[in-house]
Amino acid sequence: MHRYTYPCPLRWADADAYGHVNNAMFLRYMEEARTRMFQEVVGATHEDGRRQNAFVVGRSVIDFRAPLYYRDAPVDVHIRVAKSSAASFELAYEISDNNLLYAEATTTIVAYNLDIGRPRRLSGPERDFLARYNKP
């Protein structure tokens, strides 16, 4: 399976008094990994181009599988493209380490033009990029 993996560091502030990582932090870990993944997309470097070729999160769902406790070692965030359409795609995540799966999640990402406030179609280079991480 083709997937992107980001070793996401845990922060002391992510945990509660018992050392348990707050479940809201999982969204942050997903965002951080997704942002790093998207840095590979060839895109506009000036502000207008970024605004016209943006991505926004339309939906997020997380299924928690085991508690994650603060530690010095990072947690792996694995991402693959579960499905795509003309103007959106769904990313599937696994947050885990070598021994345990902590969460499975999905986000629906919408290609969006911020200047006009409307969805847009995925470009050819964006579709090619997503195909690298699609199901086999």
Side-chain angles (χ1 to χ4, degrees), residues 19 26 31 33 38 47 56 64 68 71 79 82 90 110 133:
F26 284 73
E31 175 188 47
F38 286 180
E47 183 62 23
V56 296
F64 297 97
L68 174 59
R71 65 200 189 189
I79 307 173
E90 182 178 275
V110 180
Y133 300 103

Side-chain angles (χ1 to χ4, degrees), residues 44-89:
T45 56
H46 56 85
E47 183 62 23
D48 289 342
R50 283 194 301 266
R51 290 186 53 79
Q52 294 167 3
N53 296 293
F55 294 110
V56 296
V57 174
R59 181 173 194 248
S60 292
V61 176
I62 302 175
D63 293 316
F64 297 97
R65 302 296 184 209
L68 174 59
Y69 294 95
Y70 174 78
R71 65 200 189 189
D72 289 332
V75 66
D76 289 327
V77 181
H78 306 286
I79 307 173
R80 66 178 174 80
V81 177
K83 60 184 172 180
S84 63
S85 66
S88 67
F89 52 96

Side-chain angles (χ1 to χ4, degrees), residues 1-2 15 41 62 86 94 103 127 132 135:
M1 175 185 322
H2 299 283
V41 176
I62 302 175
E94 288 183 354
R127 286 192 304 275
R132 292 176 24 201
K135 292 190 275 189

Side-chain angles (χ1 to χ4, degrees), residues 109 116 135-136:
I109 307 293
I116 62 172
K135 292 190 275 189

Side-chain angles (χ1 to χ4, degrees), residues 3-25:
R3 65 183 184 181
Y4 177 85
T5 299
Y6 174 66
C8 189
L10 303 180
R11 297 157 204 78
W12 177 255
D14 295 352
D16 61 20
Y18 302 107
H20 177 263
V21 172
N22 184 291
N23 54 2
M25 294 298 104

